[in-house]
Amino acid sequence: MTSLCIVGAGVAGAGAADALSDTDIDVTVLEKSRGVCGRAATRRKNGCRYDHGANYVKDPDDRTTEFVRGLGEEGLLDVTEPVWTFDAAGRITEGDSRDDHKFTWTEGMTQLAKRLFARTDAEVKNQTRVAAIDREGERWSVVDTDGNGYGPFDALLLTPPAPQTAALLSDTRWDDERIPRLREAVGAVDYRTIRTYVLHYPFEQQQPWYGLVNVDKEHDVGWLSREECKEGRVPDGESLLVVQMSPEWSTAHYDDPLDESVDVVAEKVSTLLDDPAFSEPDWYDDQGWRYALPDEGVSDIVHEAEEEGLFFAGDWVAGEARVHAALWNGIEQGERVGEYLAASRL
Ligand SMILES: Cc1cc2nc3c(=O)[nH]c(=O)nc-3n(C[C@H](O)[C@H](O)[C@H](O)COP(=O)(O)OP(=O)(O)OC[C@H]3O[C@@H](n4cnc5c(N)ncnc54)[C@H](O)[C@@H]3O)c2cc1C
């Protein structure tokens, strides 16, 4: 039996594990967070459930719809209310994306990774932050931040956002001429930062839209959506807004205390929606995504170390900051790992 270590249990890591579920490869997944699904995770609070990272998975080409439906129809939601747009001046205009699928699940986006892992035999170890990777002979090993060692493995697949992957490439004793080139290419991927605010209100709101997106990228609010449009998320008679601030605002206010910055955000939302009631949420929450969205992909250099069993996957490898891109890239890279390990046994 051959073995693989996947670092990161986001959509790409889950897709890779799923791609190998019909093989006898022994898969271990090490994930720093308490849960799975990374930037497409869900949080629960005060009887509500909300997607504070990715809001939904879209289908650019039908195969994602088929794949998502194949994970089970129970609890699968397709948000049918439309996304409208707004500009720097706060003018709200009807959008034109009403026919697009916007998939999520009653229990949250996190279901995507949960359902994928559920159909594999992979062992997922949460709260395990990988600090260093190493090559010993022909095999890979990793060490977590508590000093625990894992491995050896026949292959290693790194899926954290590019800056965190670049850090792992710095912390290696593997003395190979490809490492500096890899580290430089991976470290060069730029990211936009997003701070998400979650605003809860003890009243229902009637709007003709599910979400509002700022199209000219000049407003401090980048995106705003109504979580109650997702069945089973918000109790009747209440409403919950997910507000993603623009990358510029988020970078400038990333470390501002929540209790102070939420007033500023709620005021902006209230002005945008032209309703003073939105300036006073009865409770709130936030999540900072330092590495929210990669601006571009990485060069083909990332495939150079595959002959040594070192692989990479994620939205930054796909070159598109979208759930479906991360999913398909994870599946594709999982298949490449499978081919590598099959060949290594010959
Ligand atoms: C605010 C926001 C809104 C978004 N909205 C949408 C949307 O509506 N639709 C859409 O399609 N996309 C959206 N995206 C993008 C989408 O979330 C990502 O493209 C996708 O989830 C990336 O998946 P991934 O597996 O590549 O990376 P990640 O989800 O980042 O997974 C990487 C995993 O690695 C783990 N990790 C990192 N370092 C270590 C370490 N050292 N050791 C162990 N584990 C580690 C992380 O905890 C994480 O779980 C959004 C993203 C953000 C941040």
Side-chain angles (χ1 to χ4, degrees):
M1 197 188 255
T2 50
S3 59
L4 164 69
C5 175
I6 301 177
V7 179
V11 175
D18 185 54
L20 297 169
S21 58
D22 286 340
T23 69
D24 64 353
I25 298 166
D26 189 18
V27 178
T28 303
V29 184
L30 305 178
E31 165 59 51
K32 73 176 166 71
S33 306
R34 269 181 300 169
V36 298
C37 221
R39 279 171 281 155
T42 309
R43 190 176 286 167
R44 282 190 209 195
K45 195 171 171 177
N46 298 340
C48 296
R49 246 194 215 115
Y50 41 92
D51 299 320
H52 56 166
N55 287 292
Y56 49 78
V57 53
K58 257 193 176 180
D59 181 5
D61 56 13
D62 283 354
R63 69 174 176 159
T64 312
T65 298
E66 204 183 318
F67 188 90
V68 164
R69 290 201 187 285
L71 293 172
E73 294 280 346
E74 205 189 323
L76 179 64
L77 302 176
D78 191 357
V79 184
T80 50
E81 288 91 339
V83 173
W84 285 18
T85 62
F86 63 97
D87 63 13
R91 267 186 305 266
I92 297 176
T93 326
E94 202 165 332
D96 61 0
S97 62
R98 269 175 288 185
D99 295 333
D100 290 346
H101 287 295
K102 298 188 282 295
F103 290 117
T104 182
W105 289 263
T106 311
E107 296 200 12
M109 276 298 290
T110 196
Q111 281 291 303
L112 179 51
K114 280 189 179 167
R115 290 182 186 209
L116 285 168
F117 282 125
R119 42 186 218 186
T120 75
D121 292 327
E123 186 187 0
V124 182
K125 291 182 193 290
N126 288 105
Q127 295 182 281
T128 307
R129 182 192 283 261
V130 173
I133 62 172
D134 260 315
R135 182 113 167 113
E136 291 165 4
E138 299 275 284
R139 306 185 82 193
W140 292 94
S141 63
V142 305
V143 178
D144 71 15
T145 45
D146 292 329
N148 302 310
Y150 303 86
F153 303 99
D154 299 299
L156 180 61
L157 173 65
L158 304 180
T159 75
Q164 292 165 329
T165 293
L168 293 178
L169 292 171
S170 300
D171 282 323
T172 179
R173 279 175 291 161
W174 187 39
D175 185 20
D176 186 272
E177 46 147 21
R178 283 164 286 203
I179 282 288
R181 278 206 305 281
L182 273 170
R183 202 169 43 219
E184 193 183 333
V186 175
V189 179
D190 280 332
Y191 275 73
R192 277 164 285 161
T193 294
I194 294 179
R195 188 164 176 186
T196 299
Y197 287 78
V198 173
L199 310 181
H200 178 272
Y201 303 94
F203 54 80
E204 269 178 15
Q205 54 166 319
Q206 303 297 330
Q207 305 282 6
W209 42 263
Y210 149 67
L212 293 178
V213 62
N214 174 221
V215 275
D216 57 17
K217 315 273 182 219
E218 297 284 341
H219 202 284
D220 286 343
V221 175
W223 164 271
L224 180 157
S225 53
R226 299 163 56 220
E227 209 65 358
E228 61 270 18
C229 293
K230 299 173 178 170
E231 196 190 313
R233 298 294 192 88
V234 180
D236 290 346
E238 303 176 17
S239 54
L240 187 145
L241 290 176
V242 170
V243 185
Q244 292 167 8
M245 302 307 285
S246 72
E248 294 70 28
W249 193 95
S250 299
T251 303
H253 300 277
Y254 197 78
D255 296 317
D256 288 1
L258 173 60
D259 289 343
E260 290 163 27
S261 58
V262 72
D263 292 341
V264 177
V265 170
E267 204 52 53
K268 288 180 190 296
V269 169
S270 148
T271 305
L272 178 62
L273 300 184
D274 196 20
D275 186 342
F278 289 106
S279 62
E280 289 188 17
D282 62 343
W283 59 263
Y284 46 82
D285 194 7
D286 78 327
Q287 173 69 37
W289 303 100
R290 174 90 57 201
Y291 306 119
L293 306 170
D295 275 333
E296 72 286 315
V298 67
S299 70
D300 279 347
I301 286 175
V302 280
H303 298 296
E304 272 193 11
E306 290 183 0
E307 59 195 27
E308 304 287 344
L310 179 60
F311 294 78
F312 303 88
D315 56 354
W316 59 277
V317 181
E320 193 183 356
R322 298 273 101 191
V323 169
H324 64 82
L327 171 70
W328 290 113
N329 184 260
I331 291 172
E332 200 178 295
Q333 288 301 91
E335 286 167 353
R336 287 169 84 106
V337 171
E339 284 161 21
Y340 165 81
L341 290 176
S344 72
R345 278 197 291 199
L346 294 178

